[in-house]
Amino acid sequence: PDATAAMLAALRTVTTTTARRVAAPRGAAGAPVLVRALSEGRLPTSQADSLTQVGTRRIFDSDHDMFREMCRNFYETEVVPFHEAWEEQGHVPRELWKKAGDSQLLGITMPEEYGGVGADVLYAAINWEEQSYTGCTGPGWALHSEICMPYILHYGTEEQKQRYLPKLCSGEWISAIAMTEPGAGSDLAGVRTTAIRDGDHYVLNGSKTFITNGYHSDAVIVVAKTEPDKGPHGVSLIMVEAGMEGFAKGKKLKKLGLKAQDTSELFFEDVRVPAENLVGKEGDAVLHMMRNLELERLGGARRRPP
């Protein structure tokens, strides 16, 4: 615990330095100063004892190494010993999310003003990698932190950022994005869920399936058609909160793999969602999701075990 606390304190200091390095000028030879600096003194992967050895790869530095050691310790002590039991129950406990928030493993790239760490994506990548090294697929906080939160940060109003991001970064709330449908898969043009404007509300109807973090979700970004006659140009992102009348969570789905990962069905029947819960511009969901695709794909690749 003392070592972890020291690492967390150091990480807060490191993030300021990280921000300066990311904005560093380019060197005379045209290569970024940051890349050249990180290239010096690092052990090549080919010379390491294993692919998971701390201190390798030139894109990282000693600050990243310290954060990696903290992540590795967290997974080894808080996740690995209990994962088999979580696979039996079909989800990890909410208490683990709070521990992850306390250890600053949630919202790593989110600004500090909203409860995040304020670090660059390399720190998030380290978190993804260390989870994948353990083979423990239950914690769904990569989707929570690097898929759901960026939608709020990049396209949400200031009120939405203040309401949701601090709770998500702390692990008090769990987020999900509801895209996949029983008859449409993740084809946005085929989405049947609708959110029709009625005064100061959207009336949401439809269902979603295979939703990661769905069973425990407190805030769900729902992909729905606000103007069904416009096809993909009429699709929007609507934030739905647990407890809204007409919003129901289905059973936890049993899967061939990822057995400890919370995956469920979600149902919406005449859910009246305040119009201010629209995330981004109405009709621009496809555009918003395309802009987030690079990080989502990177995260998916990084989470594959070596």
Side-chain angles (χ1 to χ4, degrees):
D2 292 341
T4 299
M7 288 182 182
L8 289 174
L11 179 60
R12 282 291 185 187
T13 303
V14 164
T15 52
T16 302
T17 306
T18 299
R20 288 200 297 267
R21 287 202 310 268
V22 170
R26 302 182 73 85
V33 173
L34 170 60
V35 174
R36 290 212 318 273
L38 296 185
S39 298
E40 300 172 1
R42 303 290 291 177
L43 182 67
T45 306
S46 59
Q47 297 178 15
D49 294 333
S50 73
L51 293 177
T52 62
Q53 181 173 329
V54 177
T56 62
R57 286 182 287 172
R58 296 175 179 178
I59 61 171
F60 299 117
D61 62 17
S62 59
D63 295 332
H64 294 116
D65 293 343
M66 181 173 61
F67 181 67
R68 184 180 294 278
E69 289 174 350
M70 186 194 72
C71 289
R72 186 166 296 185
N73 179 69
F74 181 90
Y75 286 109
E76 289 177 350
T77 58
E78 301 292 347
V79 178
V80 173
F82 315 106
H83 198 263
E84 184 175 353
W86 296 339
E87 288 188 328
E88 292 293 327
Q89 70 180 14
H91 62 85
V92 303
R94 292 188 70 100
E95 292 75 17
L96 182 68
W97 286 82
K98 286 292 295 179
K99 290 180 180 179
D102 292 341
S103 297
Q104 297 184 335
L105 298 184
L106 305 178
I108 291 173
T109 61
M110 293 297 105
E112 291 186 70
E113 63 186 292
Y114 300 121
V117 177
D120 61 42
V121 73
L122 290 177
Y123 286 89
I126 289 169
N127 192 18
W128 305 335
E129 289 180 346
E130 290 303 316
Q131 180 178 347
S132 74
Y133 294 162
T134 67
C136 295
T137 57
W141 44 62
L143 177 137
H144 171 84
S145 295
E146 278 76 54
I147 295 182
C148 294
M149 288 195 210
Y151 284 114
I152 302 170
L153 179 67
H154 297 153
Y155 309 118
T157 63
E158 182 60 29
E159 289 76 15
Q160 289 173 341
K161 295 173 188 178
Q162 294 286 352
R163 174 169 176 75
Y164 296 114
L165 291 179
K167 293 178 180 178
L168 299 179
C169 289
S170 70
E172 178 184 351
W173 277 22
I174 298 172
S175 64
I177 182 164
M179 181 194 317
T180 305
E181 294 188 359
S186 38
D187 174 18
L188 296 182
V191 165
R192 297 181 180 179
T193 298
T194 59
I196 306 303
R197 187 69 179 260
D198 180 25
D200 294 332
H201 291 77
Y202 287 98
V203 180
L204 185 65
N205 283 282
S207 63
K208 302 289 183 177
T209 191
F210 294 115
I211 305 305
T212 301
N213 297 341
Y215 186 73
H216 275 152
S217 61
D218 300 289
V220 184
I221 301 173
V222 179
V223 179
K225 285 187 174 179
T226 47
E227 296 182 89
D229 58 333
K230 290 188 176 181
H233 301 290
V235 181
S236 304
L237 302 177
I238 308 290
M239 181 69 79
V240 177
E241 297 180 18
M244 285 185 171
E245 186 175 355
F247 172 33
K249 301 173 183 178
K251 62 183 179 181
K252 291 177 289 183
L253 299 176
K254 294 183 178 180
K255 310 177 294 297
L256 291 176
L258 309 178
K259 295 181 179 180
Q261 189 174 96
D262 165 0
T263 311
S264 75
E265 302 167 314
L266 301 178
F267 301 97
F268 311 94
E269 183 176 356
D270 292 331
V271 183
R272 295 188 64 83
V273 184
E276 58 263 28
N277 282 30
L278 174 71
V279 180
K281 291 181 61 177
E282 186 174 289
D284 276 1
V286 174
L287 181 61
H288 296 334
M289 299 179 84
M290 287 176 63
R291 288 175 174 169
N292 265 24
L293 195 60
E294 294 89 347
L295 183 58
E296 293 177 19
R297 292 295 178 261
L298 176 63
R302 284 282 187 170
R303 291 195 298 275
R304 298 300 184 267

